[in-house]
């Protein structure tokens, strides 16, 4: 199923914040079993933030992606393993040169069952990183879809500087590390 399809409404949903949502979105759009990926903002105070407001750090929102997936094709555990591999969960409010609370690492769950799986994977990440993981684990709240120009940004702007130097590296890391989870390229 096309991850850009608006009619892909079945499956489970998890919300993830791993720095700039352009990077996170580009990776998860390539994961087999992911039905849709939507960039947005969550877990802040403002009822309807825009990008400029979120960038000030005053709204408290994180840049996130809502990932709708088919658990028969890819498990939540596998998605979280990808998540921890493609961003640095040990830097507080920062991913590379992107600095601010909106770039924090977070897993925003939609059910107690998701929270249980996330706690297990988070504990494993803590062990792997010597207890330095700063990823927050909270229920998703106050979610707001990002502006249209942020949706599928890398797919639409692969030659843009940030995409060439930052986003592409994360996509390449995913493809090198999780080839078994990569969706087949769509015929061209």
């Amino acid at each position: 199923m096309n991850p850009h399809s608006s009619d892909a409404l079945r499956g489970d949903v998890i919300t993830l914040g791993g720095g700039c949502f352009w990077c996170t979105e580009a990776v998860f759009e390539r994961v087999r079993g992911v039905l849709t990926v939507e960039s947005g903002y969550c877990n802040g105070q403002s009822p309807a933030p825009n990008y400029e407001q979120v960038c000030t750090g005053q709204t408290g929102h994180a840049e996130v992606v809502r990932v709708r997936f088919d658990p028969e094709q890819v498990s939540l555990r596998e998605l979280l393993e990808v998540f921890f591999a493609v961003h640095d969960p040990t830097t507080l409010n920062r991913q590379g040169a992107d600095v601010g609370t909106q770039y924090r690492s977070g897993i925003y769950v939609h059910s107690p069952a998701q929270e249980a799986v996330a706690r297990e994977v988070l504990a494993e990440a803590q062990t792997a990183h010597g207890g330095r993981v700063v990823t927050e684990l909270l229920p998703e709240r106050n979610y707001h879809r990002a502006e249209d120009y942020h949706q599928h940004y890398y797919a639409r702007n692969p030659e843009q500087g940030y995409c060439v130097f930052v986003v592409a590296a994360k996509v390449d890391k995913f493809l090198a590390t999780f080839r078994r989870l990569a969706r087949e390229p769509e015929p061209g």
Side-chain angles (χ1 to χ4, degrees):
M1 180 175 280
N2 181 340
H4 305 286
S5 171
S6 62
D7 62 349
L9 298 178
R10 61 182 170 77
D12 289 346
V13 175
I14 187 71
T15 304
L16 303 169
C20 175
F21 46 32
W22 296 345
C23 296
T24 314
E25 176 191 72
V27 167
F28 284 100
E29 286 184 333
R30 286 160 176 74
V31 176
R32 171 188 37 81
V34 168
L35 306 173
T36 61
V37 183
E38 179 179 85
S39 292
Y41 316 107
C42 78
N43 288 55
Q45 300 83 28
S46 180
N50 64 38
Y51 182 68
E52 289 73 25
Q53 292 167 335
V54 170
C55 286
T56 69
Q58 299 302 305
T59 71
H61 285 81
E63 284 193 17
V64 296
V65 292
R66 259 191 182 172
V67 179
R68 184 174 297 279
F69 64 99
D70 180 348
E72 293 181 13
Q73 294 183 53
V74 63
S75 69
L76 176 59
R77 168 174 277 284
E78 289 170 315
L79 293 175
L80 293 175
E81 289 169 356
V82 168
F83 169 72
F84 279 112
V86 298
H87 85 292
D88 182 353
T90 69
T91 55
L92 185 62
N93 301 328
R94 175 186 198 123
Q95 287 297 302
D98 295 329
V99 179
T101 57
Q102 70 271 25
Y103 299 117
R104 66 188 179 266
S105 176
I107 302 169
Y108 305 100
V109 297
H110 297 254
S111 72
Q114 283 187 346
E115 182 177 357
V117 172
R119 284 199 185 286
E120 287 177 16
V121 179
L122 182 57
E124 292 164 11
Q126 282 289 11
T127 299
H129 291 282
R132 297 178 300 120
V133 172
V134 295
T135 304
E136 62 184 14
L137 173 57
L138 298 166
E140 181 204 89
R141 61 179 178 75
N142 198 17
Y143 176 84
H144 188 78
R145 183 181 188 276
E147 296 82 352
D148 286 343
Y149 72 92
H150 289 299
Q151 307 303 323
H152 317 294
Y153 191 86
Y154 179 67
R156 292 183 297 103
N157 302 282
E159 302 303 318
Q160 191 261 5
Y162 186 88
C163 291
V164 170
F165 294 106
V166 179
V167 182
K170 292 189 182 258
V171 169
D172 290 346
K173 183 174 185 178
F174 161 70
L175 293 172
T177 308
F178 294 96
R179 174 51 62 199
R180 67 184 170 79
L181 293 178
R183 77 172 57 252
E184 294 297 319
E186 293 184 16

